[in-house]
Amino acid sequence: MTSFLPDPYDRDCPTRQLLDRIGDQWTVLIVGTLGGGPLRFTEIGRRVQGISQKMLTQTLRALVRDGILERRMYAEIPPRVEYELTDLGRDLAEPLSMLAEWAKAHMGRVQEARESYDRAS
Amino acid sequence: MTSFLPDPYDRDCPTRQLLDRIGDQWTVLIVGTLGGGPLRFTEIGRRVQGISQKMLTQTLRALVRDGILERRMYAEIPPRVEYELTDLGRDLAEPLSMLAEWAKAHMGRVQEARESYDRAS
């Protein structure tokens, strides 16, 4: 077994693809909204405005596969399915919330920069 | 003028699109590598393995427009063009490096989760 130092700058390193997944806007918003506790599929879709059913299904499945979310089915009639953060997911929630906070805090400066750029072009 | 609370959960809020830009894998890698100081186009492309010329050009232009990078041209022969982080970009570098560090630190756990998921499916 060769030693392995993860390096997302290496195109063949799996961290590259992981980085793409965790930085995805849907991941940021879904993990963020599950920070308050487990939610059903429809409730997640209601909170993350504008996500399609297909994208929500795909993203949730990928996050469950990555060990970031857990899917729990309760044997009720009708069956209740909820998604919640795993320990790994809770650990990810912190850097992701920093990213969302950054976007909220600096949107004004970014918009000024864009207007200035567009005027100069 | 109406008051405006940025909210990336709102599909019409510009923070949604900004979040998509800053969480992009290419942004994370480019901003990360420029943390060490200004670099030329070709050097950035060399470090961020696997990025196409077209994607590098597009991403750099978008980051300059957003006020995250500055493009400096030096009147030399041949002209030298360098990209460097602005103050806003340096401020963004911190949450982005946390994201990259998270991916590096937890890749092993994510891979175990994937293997376990795939065995169960």
Coordinates of all heavy atoms in Angstrom, one line a residue, chain A residues 7-79:
Chain A
D7 N -4.9 15.4 -2.3 CA -4.5 16.7 -2.8 C -5.5 17.1 -3.9 O -5.5 16.5 -5.0 CB -3.1 16.6 -3.4 CG -2.8 17.9 -4.1 OD1 -3.5 18.9 -3.9 OD2 -1.7 17.9 -4.8
P8 N -6.5 18.0 -3.6 CA -7.5 18.3 -4.7 C -6.9 19.0 -5.9 O -7.6 19.1 -6.9 CB -8.5 19.2 -3.9 CG -7.7 19.7 -2.7 CD -6.7 18.7 -2.4
Y9 N -5.6 19.4 -5.8 CA -5.0 20.0 -7.0 C -4.6 18.9 -8.0 O -4.4 19.2 -9.2 CB -3.8 20.9 -6.7 CG -4.3 22.2 -6.1 CD1 -4.4 22.3 -4.7 CD2 -4.6 23.3 -6.9 CE1 -4.8 23.5 -4.1 CE2 -5.0 24.4 -6.3 CZ -5.2 24.6 -5.0 OH -5.6 25.7 -4.4
D10 N -4.5 17.7 -7.6 CA -4.2 16.5 -8.4 C -5.6 16.1 -9.1 O -6.5 15.7 -8.4 CB -3.7 15.4 -7.5 CG -3.4 14.1 -8.3 OD1 -3.9 14.0 -9.5 OD2 -2.8 13.3 -7.7
R11 N -5.6 16.1 -10.4 CA -6.9 15.8 -11.1 C -7.4 14.4 -10.8 O -8.6 14.1 -10.9 CB -6.7 16.0 -12.6 CG -6.0 14.8 -13.3 CD -5.9 15.1 -14.8 NE -4.8 15.9 -15.1 CZ -4.5 16.4 -16.3 NH1 -5.3 16.2 -17.3 NH2 -3.4 17.0 -16.5
D12 N -6.5 13.5 -10.4 CA -6.9 12.1 -10.1 C -7.3 11.8 -8.7 O -7.6 10.7 -8.3 CB -5.8 11.1 -10.6 CG -5.5 11.3 -12.0 OD1 -6.5 11.4 -12.8 OD2 -4.4 11.2 -12.4
C13 N -7.1 12.8 -7.8 CA -7.4 12.6 -6.4 C -8.9 12.7 -6.2 O -9.5 13.6 -6.7 CB -6.7 13.7 -5.6 SG -7.0 13.5 -3.8
P14 N -9.4 11.8 -5.4 CA -10.9 11.8 -5.2 C -11.4 13.0 -4.4 O -12.6 13.3 -4.4 CB -11.2 10.5 -4.4 CG -9.9 10.0 -3.9 CD -8.8 10.6 -4.8
T15 N -10.5 13.7 -3.7 CA -10.9 14.9 -3.1 C -11.4 16.0 -4.0 O -12.2 16.8 -3.7 CB -9.8 15.6 -2.2 OG1 -8.6 15.8 -3.0 CG2 -9.4 14.7 -1.0
R16 N -10.9 16.0 -5.3 CA -11.4 16.9 -6.3 C -12.9 16.8 -6.5 O -13.6 17.8 -6.5 CB -10.6 16.6 -7.6 CG -11.1 17.4 -8.8 CD -10.8 18.8 -8.9 NE -9.4 19.1 -9.0 CZ -8.7 19.2 -10.2 NH1 -9.3 19.1 -11.3 NH2 -7.4 19.5 -10.2
Q17 N -13.3 15.6 -6.7 CA -14.7 15.3 -6.9 C -15.6 15.6 -5.6 O -16.7 16.1 -5.7 CB -14.9 13.9 -7.4 CG -16.3 13.6 -7.8 CD -16.9 12.4 -7.1 OE1 -16.1 11.6 -6.5 NE2 -18.2 12.2 -7.0
L18 N -15.0 15.3 -4.5 CA -15.7 15.5 -3.2 C -15.9 17.0 -3.0 O -16.9 17.5 -2.6 CB -14.9 14.9 -2.1 CG -15.5 15.1 -0.7 CD1 -16.9 14.5 -0.6 CD2 -14.6 14.6 0.4
L19 N -14.8 17.8 -3.4 CA -14.9 19.2 -3.3 C -16.0 19.8 -4.1 O -16.7 20.7 -3.7 CB -13.5 19.8 -3.7 CG -13.1 21.2 -3.3 CD1 -13.2 21.3 -1.8 CD2 -11.7 21.4 -3.7
D20 N -16.2 19.2 -5.3 CA -17.2 19.6 -6.2 C -18.6 19.3 -5.6 O -19.5 20.2 -5.7 CB -17.1 18.9 -7.5 CG -17.7 19.7 -8.7 OD1 -17.6 20.9 -8.6 OD2 -18.2 19.0 -9.6
R21 N -18.7 18.2 -4.9 CA -20.0 17.8 -4.3 C -20.3 18.8 -3.1 O -21.4 19.3 -3.0 CB -19.9 16.4 -3.8 CG -20.9 15.9 -2.7 CD -22.2 15.7 -3.3 NE -22.2 15.0 -4.5 CZ -21.8 13.7 -4.7 NH1 -21.5 13.0 -3.7 NH2 -21.8 13.2 -5.9
I22 N -19.4 18.9 -2.2 CA -19.7 19.7 -1.0 C -19.9 21.2 -1.2 O -20.6 21.8 -0.5 CB -18.7 19.4 0.2 CG1 -17.3 19.9 -0.2 CG2 -18.7 18.0 0.6 CD1 -16.2 19.6 0.9
G23 N -19.2 21.7 -2.3 CA -19.3 23.1 -2.6 C -20.6 23.4 -3.4 O -20.9 24.6 -3.6
D24 N -21.2 22.4 -3.9 CA -22.4 22.6 -4.7 C -23.5 23.4 -3.9 O -23.7 23.2 -2.7 CB -23.0 21.2 -5.1 CG -24.2 21.3 -5.9 OD1 -24.2 21.6 -7.0 OD2 -25.3 21.0 -5.3
Q25 N -24.1 24.3 -4.6 CA -25.1 25.2 -3.9 C -26.2 24.4 -3.3 O -26.7 24.7 -2.2 CB -25.8 26.2 -4.9 CG -26.5 25.6 -6.1 CD -27.4 26.6 -6.8 OE1 -28.1 27.4 -6.2 NE2 -27.4 26.5 -8.1
W26 N -26.6 23.2 -3.9 CA -27.7 22.5 -3.3 C -27.2 21.8 -2.0 O -28.0 21.7 -1.0 CB -28.3 21.4 -4.3 CG -28.7 22.0 -5.6 CD1 -28.3 21.7 -6.8 CD2 -29.7 23.1 -5.8 NE1 -28.9 22.5 -7.8 CE2 -29.8 23.3 -7.1 CE3 -30.5 23.9 -4.9 CZ2 -30.7 24.3 -7.7 CZ3 -31.3 24.8 -5.4 CH2 -31.4 25.0 -6.8
T27 N -26.0 21.3 -2.0 CA -25.5 20.7 -0.8 C -25.4 21.7 0.3 O -25.8 21.5 1.4 CB -24.1 20.2 -1.1 OG1 -24.1 19.1 -2.1 CG2 -23.4 19.6 0.2
V28 N -24.9 22.9 0.0 CA -24.8 24.0 1.0 C -26.2 24.3 1.6 O -26.3 24.3 2.8 CB -24.2 25.3 0.4 CG1 -24.1 26.4 1.5 CG2 -22.8 25.0 -0.1
L29 N -27.2 24.4 0.8 CA -28.5 24.7 1.3 C -29.2 23.6 2.0 O -29.8 23.8 3.0 CB -29.4 25.2 0.1 CG -28.8 26.5 -0.6 CD1 -29.6 26.8 -1.8 CD2 -28.9 27.7 0.4
I30 N -29.0 22.4 1.5 CA -29.7 21.2 2.2 C -29.0 20.9 3.5 O -29.7 20.7 4.5 CB -29.6 20.0 1.2 CG1 -30.5 20.2 0.0 CG2 -30.0 18.7 2.0 CD1 -30.4 19.1 -1.1
V31 N -27.7 20.9 3.5 CA -27.0 20.6 4.8 C -27.3 21.8 5.8 O -27.5 21.5 7.0 CB -25.5 20.5 4.6 CG1 -24.7 20.5 5.9 CG2 -25.2 19.2 3.8
G32 N -27.4 23.0 5.3 CA -27.7 24.1 6.1 C -29.1 24.0 6.8 O -29.2 24.2 8.0
T33 N -30.1 23.6 6.0 CA -31.4 23.6 6.5 C -31.6 22.3 7.4 O -32.5 22.4 8.3 CB -32.5 23.6 5.4 OG1 -33.7 24.1 5.9 CG2 -32.7 22.3 4.7
L34 N -30.8 21.3 7.2 CA -30.9 20.1 8.1 C -30.2 20.3 9.4 O -30.2 19.5 10.3 CB -30.4 18.9 7.4 CG -31.4 18.3 6.3 CD1 -30.7 17.2 5.5 CD2 -32.7 17.9 6.9
G35 N -29.4 21.5 9.5 CA -28.7 21.8 10.8 C -29.7 22.0 11.9 O -29.4 21.8 13.1
G36 N -31.0 22.3 11.6 CA -32.0 22.5 12.6 C -32.7 21.2 13.1 O -33.5 21.2 14.0
G37 N -32.3 20.1 12.4 CA -32.9 18.8 12.8 C -33.5 18.1 11.5 O -33.5 18.6 10.5
P38 N -33.9 16.8 11.7 CA -34.3 16.0 10.6 C -35.6 16.6 9.9 O -36.4 17.2 10.6 CB -34.6 14.6 11.2 CG -34.7 14.8 12.7 CD -33.9 16.1 13.0
L39 N -35.7 16.4 8.6 CA -36.8 16.9 7.8 C -37.2 15.8 6.8 O -36.4 15.0 6.3 CB -36.4 18.2 7.1 CG -36.2 19.4 7.9 CD1 -35.7 20.5 7.0 CD2 -37.4 19.9 8.6
R40 N -38.5 15.9 6.4 CA -39.0 15.1 5.3 C -38.6 15.7 3.9 O -38.3 16.9 3.8 CB -40.5 15.1 5.3 CG -41.0 14.4 6.5 CD -42.5 14.3 6.3 NE -43.2 14.0 7.6 CZ -44.3 13.2 7.6 NH1 -44.9 12.8 6.5 NH2 -44.8 13.0 8.8
F41 N -38.6 14.9 2.9 CA -38.3 15.2 1.5 C -39.0 16.5 1.1 O -38.4 17.5 0.6 CB -38.6 14.1 0.6 CG -38.3 14.3 -0.8 CD1 -37.1 13.9 -1.4 CD2 -39.2 14.9 -1.7 CE1 -36.8 14.1 -2.7 CE2 -39.0 15.1 -3.0 CZ -37.8 14.7 -3.5
T42 N -40.3 16.5 1.3 CA -41.1 17.6 0.8 C -40.8 18.9 1.6 O -40.8 20.0 1.0 CB -42.7 17.3 1.0 OG1 -42.9 16.8 2.3 CG2 -43.1 16.3 0.0
E43 N -40.5 18.8 2.8 CA -40.2 20.0 3.6 C -38.8 20.6 3.2 O -38.6 21.8 3.0 CB -40.1 19.7 5.1 CG -39.8 20.8 6.0 CD -40.7 22.0 5.9 OE1 -41.8 21.9 5.4 OE2 -40.3 23.1 6.3
I44 N -37.9 19.7 2.9 CA -36.6 20.2 2.3 C -36.8 20.9 1.0 O -36.3 22.0 0.8 CB -35.6 19.0 2.2 CG1 -35.3 18.3 3.5 CG2 -34.2 19.5 1.6 CD1 -34.5 17.0 3.3
G45 N -37.6 20.3 0.1 CA -37.9 20.9 -1.2 C -38.6 22.2 -1.0 O -38.4 23.1 -1.8
R46 N -39.4 22.4 0.0 CA -40.1 23.6 0.2 C -39.1 24.7 0.7 O -39.3 25.9 0.3 CB -41.2 23.4 1.3 CG -42.4 24.4 1.3 CD -43.3 24.1 2.5 NE -42.6 24.3 3.7 CZ -42.3 25.5 4.3 NH1 -42.6 26.6 3.7 NH2 -41.7 25.5 5.5
R47 N -38.2 24.3 1.5 CA -37.2 25.3 2.0 C -36.2 25.8 1.0 O -35.8 26.9 1.0 CB -36.5 24.8 3.3 CG -37.5 24.5 4.4 CD -36.7 24.1 5.6 NE -37.6 23.8 6.8 CZ -37.2 23.8 8.0 NH1 -36.0 24.1 8.3 NH2 -38.1 23.5 9.0
V48 N -35.7 24.8 0.3 CA -34.7 25.1 -0.7 C -35.4 25.5 -2.0 O -35.6 24.7 -2.9 CB -33.7 23.9 -1.0 CG1 -32.7 24.2 -2.0 CG2 -33.1 23.5 0.4
Q49 N -35.8 26.7 -2.1 CA -36.7 27.2 -3.2 C -36.1 26.9 -4.5 O -34.9 27.2 -4.7 CB -37.0 28.6 -3.0 CG -37.9 29.0 -1.9 CD -38.1 30.5 -1.8 OE1 -38.0 31.2 -2.8 NE2 -38.4 31.0 -0.6
G50 N -36.9 26.5 -5.5 CA -36.4 26.4 -6.8 C -35.7 25.1 -7.2 O -35.3 24.9 -8.3
I51 N -35.4 24.2 -6.2 CA -34.8 23.0 -6.5 C -35.8 22.0 -7.2 O -37.0 22.0 -6.7 CB -34.1 22.3 -5.3 CG1 -33.2 21.1 -5.7 CG2 -35.1 21.8 -4.3 CD1 -32.3 20.6 -4.6
S52 N -35.4 21.4 -8.3 CA -36.4 20.5 -8.9 C -36.5 19.2 -8.1 O -35.6 18.8 -7.3 CB -36.0 20.2 -10.3 OG -34.8 19.4 -10.3
Q53 N -37.6 18.4 -8.2 CA -37.7 17.2 -7.6 C -36.5 16.2 -7.9 O -36.0 15.6 -7.1 CB -39.0 16.5 -8.1 CG -40.3 17.2 -7.6 CD -40.9 16.5 -6.3 OE1 -40.6 15.4 -6.0 NE2 -41.6 17.3 -5.6
K54 N -36.2 16.3 -9.2 CA -35.1 15.4 -9.7 C -33.8 15.7 -9.0 O -33.1 14.8 -8.6 CB -35.0 15.5 -11.2 CG -34.1 14.5 -11.8 CD -34.0 14.7 -13.3 CE -32.8 13.8 -13.9 NZ -32.5 14.2 -15.3
M55 N -33.5 17.0 -9.0 CA -32.2 17.5 -8.4 C -32.2 17.2 -6.9 O -31.2 16.8 -6.3 CB -32.0 18.9 -8.7 CG -30.7 19.5 -8.2 SD -29.2 18.7 -8.8 CE -29.2 19.3 -10.5
L56 N -33.3 17.4 -6.2 CA -33.4 17.1 -4.8 C -33.2 15.6 -4.5 O -32.4 15.2 -3.7 CB -34.8 17.5 -4.3 CG -35.0 17.4 -2.8 CD1 -34.0 18.0 -1.9 CD2 -36.4 17.9 -2.4
T57 N -33.9 14.7 -5.3 CA -33.7 13.3 -5.2 C -32.2 12.9 -5.4 O -31.7 12.2 -4.6 CB -34.6 12.6 -6.2 OG1 -35.9 13.0 -6.1 CG2 -34.5 11.0 -6.1
Q58 N -31.6 13.4 -6.5 CA -30.2 13.1 -6.8 C -29.3 13.5 -5.7 O -28.4 12.8 -5.3 CB -29.8 13.7 -8.1 CG -30.3 13.0 -9.3 CD -29.9 13.8 -10.6 OE1 -29.3 14.8 -10.6 NE2 -30.2 13.2 -11.8
T59 N -29.5 14.8 -5.2 CA -28.6 15.3 -4.2 C -28.7 14.6 -2.9 O -27.7 14.3 -2.3 CB -28.8 16.9 -4.1 OG1 -28.8 17.5 -5.4 CG2 -27.7 17.5 -3.2
L60 N -29.9 14.3 -2.5 CA -30.1 13.6 -1.2 C -29.5 12.2 -1.3 O -28.8 11.8 -0.4 CB -31.6 13.5 -0.9 CG -32.3 14.8 -0.5 CD1 -33.8 14.6 -0.4 CD2 -31.7 15.3 0.9
R61 N -29.7 11.5 -2.5 CA -29.1 10.2 -2.6 C -27.6 10.2 -2.5 O -26.9 9.4 -1.8 CB -29.6 9.6 -3.9 CG -29.2 8.1 -4.0 CD -29.6 7.5 -5.3 NE -31.0 7.5 -5.5 CZ -31.6 7.8 -6.7 NH1 -30.8 8.2 -7.7 NH2 -32.9 7.9 -6.8
A62 N -27.0 11.2 -3.2 CA -25.5 11.4 -3.2 C -25.0 11.7 -1.8 O -24.0 11.1 -1.4 CB -25.1 12.4 -4.2
L63 N -25.7 12.5 -1.1 CA -25.3 12.9 0.3 C -25.4 11.7 1.3 O -24.6 11.5 2.2 CB -26.0 14.1 0.8 CG -25.7 15.4 0.0 CD1 -26.6 16.5 0.5 CD2 -24.2 15.8 0.3
V64 N -26.4 10.9 1.0 CA -26.6 9.7 1.9 C -25.4 8.7 1.5 O -24.8 8.2 2.4 CB -28.0 9.0 1.6 CG1 -28.0 7.6 2.2 CG2 -29.1 9.8 2.2
R65 N -25.2 8.5 0.2 CA -24.1 7.6 -0.2 C -22.7 8.1 0.4 O -21.9 7.3 0.8 CB -24.0 7.6 -1.7 CG -23.0 6.6 -2.2 CD -23.1 6.4 -3.7 NE -22.0 5.5 -4.2 CZ -20.9 5.9 -4.8 NH1 -20.7 7.2 -5.0 NH2 -20.0 5.1 -5.1
D66 N -22.5 9.4 0.5 CA -21.3 10.0 1.0 C -21.2 9.9 2.5 O -20.2 10.3 3.1 CB -21.1 11.4 0.5 CG -20.7 11.5 -1.0 OD1 -20.4 10.5 -1.6 OD2 -20.7 12.7 -1.5
G67 N -22.3 9.5 3.1 CA -22.2 9.4 4.6 C -22.5 10.8 5.3 O -22.2 10.9 6.5
I68 N -23.0 11.7 4.5 CA -23.2 13.1 5.1 C -24.6 13.2 5.7 O -24.9 13.8 6.6 CB -22.9 14.1 4.0 CG1 -21.4 14.2 3.8 CG2 -23.5 15.5 4.4 CD1 -21.0 14.9 2.5
L69 N -25.6 12.5 5.0 CA -26.9 12.4 5.5 C -27.3 10.9 5.8 O -26.8 10.0 5.2 CB -27.9 12.9 4.5 CG -27.8 14.3 4.0 CD1 -29.0 14.7 3.1 CD2 -27.8 15.3 5.2
E70 N -28.3 10.8 6.7 CA -28.9 9.5 6.9 C -30.3 9.6 6.5 O -31.0 10.6 6.8 CB -28.7 9.1 8.4 CG -29.1 7.7 8.7 CD -28.8 7.3 10.2 OE1 -28.3 8.2 10.9 OE2 -29.1 6.2 10.6
R71 N -30.8 8.5 5.9 CA -32.2 8.4 5.5 C -32.9 7.5 6.4 O -32.5 6.3 6.5 CB -32.3 7.9 4.0 CG -33.7 7.8 3.5 CD -33.6 7.2 2.0 NE -34.9 7.2 1.4 CZ -35.8 6.3 1.5 NH1 -35.6 5.2 2.3 NH2 -36.9 6.4 0.8
R72 N -33.9 7.9 7.1 CA -34.6 7.1 8.1 C -36.0 6.9 7.7 O -36.8 7.8 7.4 CB -34.6 7.7 9.5 CG -33.2 7.8 10.1 CD -33.3 7.8 11.6 NE -32.0 7.8 12.1 CZ -31.7 8.0 13.4 NH1 -32.7 8.1 14.3 NH2 -30.5 8.0 13.8
M73 N -36.4 5.6 7.7 CA -37.8 5.3 7.3 C -38.5 4.8 8.6 O -38.0 4.0 9.3 CB -37.9 4.3 6.2 CG -39.3 4.2 5.7 SD -39.5 2.8 4.5 CE -38.9 3.6 3.1
Y74 N -39.7 5.4 8.9 CA -40.4 5.1 10.1 C -41.6 4.2 9.6 O -42.3 4.6 8.7 CB -40.9 6.3 10.8 CG -39.8 7.1 11.4 CD1 -39.1 8.1 10.7 CD2 -39.3 6.8 12.7 CE1 -38.0 8.8 11.2 CE2 -38.2 7.5 13.2 CZ -37.6 8.5 12.4 OH -36.5 9.2 13.0
A75 N -41.8 3.1 10.3 CA -42.9 2.2 9.9 C -44.2 2.6 10.3 O -44.8 2.1 11.2 CB -42.6 0.8 10.4
E76 N -44.6 3.7 9.7 CA -46.0 4.3 10.0 C -46.8 4.1 8.7 O -46.3 3.7 7.7 CB -45.9 5.8 10.3 CG -45.0 6.0 11.6 CD -44.8 7.5 11.8 OE1 -45.3 8.3 11.0 OE2 -44.0 7.8 12.7
I77 N -48.1 4.4 8.9 CA -49.0 4.3 7.7 C -49.6 5.7 7.5 O -50.3 6.2 8.3 CB -50.1 3.3 7.8 CG1 -49.4 1.9 7.9 CG2 -51.0 3.3 6.6 CD1 -50.4 0.8 8.3
P78 N -49.2 6.4 6.4 CA -48.2 6.0 5.4 C -46.8 6.2 5.9 O -46.6 6.9 6.9 CB -48.4 7.1 4.3 CG -49.0 8.3 5.0 CD -49.8 7.8 6.1
P79 N -45.8 5.4 5.4 CA -44.4 5.4 5.9 C -43.9 6.8 5.9 O -44.1 7.6 4.9 CB -43.7 4.5 5.0 CG -44.6 3.8 4.1 CD -45.9 4.6 4.1

